[in-house]
Amino acid sequence: MPNLRILIADDHEIVRQGLRSLVESHAGWEVCGEAVDGWDSVHKTRELKPDVVALDIGMPNLNGLDAAREILSENPKAKILFLTIYDTEQAVKTAIQVGAKGLILKSDAARELVTAVEAIQRNLTYFSSQTSQAVLRPDLRGNRRSAEKDTLTRREKQVVQLLAEGKSTKEVASLLNLSVKTAETHRSNIMGKLGLHSVSELVLYAVRNNIVQAFSSPSLGGNASDAVAVEESKVPTDPTSV
């Protein structure tokens, strides 16, 4: 099996060295390149095609959030792990909106970088023990209604899970043996029923209501809320449950 190739993007050399040391201490992983600012990250991701991009949010010339948008516009399946010094709800919400697979604090990198990358390697979305609390807070919701009042059918929950995992409407239709039009109708009905206006709001809803898996690495020794992850699980495809 080929090594997992990771691009490290940070404008501070000492930080890049520390991250490189953590990555290279893990068997089967390698640092395929380093980037020193946002545009450098975009160009090297395009050139090197890494499996994971460990991307600092606060970089010069082009910040990490905008760099991620550029990267994902070219390759929507790119796996981006943000690193930040900011333990704020807005940082978490923005990371989800941009399409990152995870976010950890720089101060936690020595403890959580390996765990985060392992989760992403397993097709999970990872938020560190501190930042995950912001993801789970109900006041980040686009709508303020109680989750208990939101009733979804079994099929709608399947659609929510797949959309929260980043699947397109066409992919949802294929996985659930539906027509694209039917999948689009389900999506529209779900957004209307829940009062949601974006996929990022849907992801937050799915996490808080256990439609997608809450994941805690044993290495952290924490509870399920210590880290939030979205697993690309296989879902039933019984067409009679539409």
Side-chain angles (χ1 to χ4, degrees), residues 172-184:
V172 170
S174 176
L175 287 166
L176 298 179
N177 290 339
L178 305 173
S179 69
V180 173
K181 184 176 180 179
T182 299
E184 289 173 346

Side-chain angles (χ1 to χ4, degrees), residues 38 73 76 188 192 203:
S73 70
S188 177
V203 171

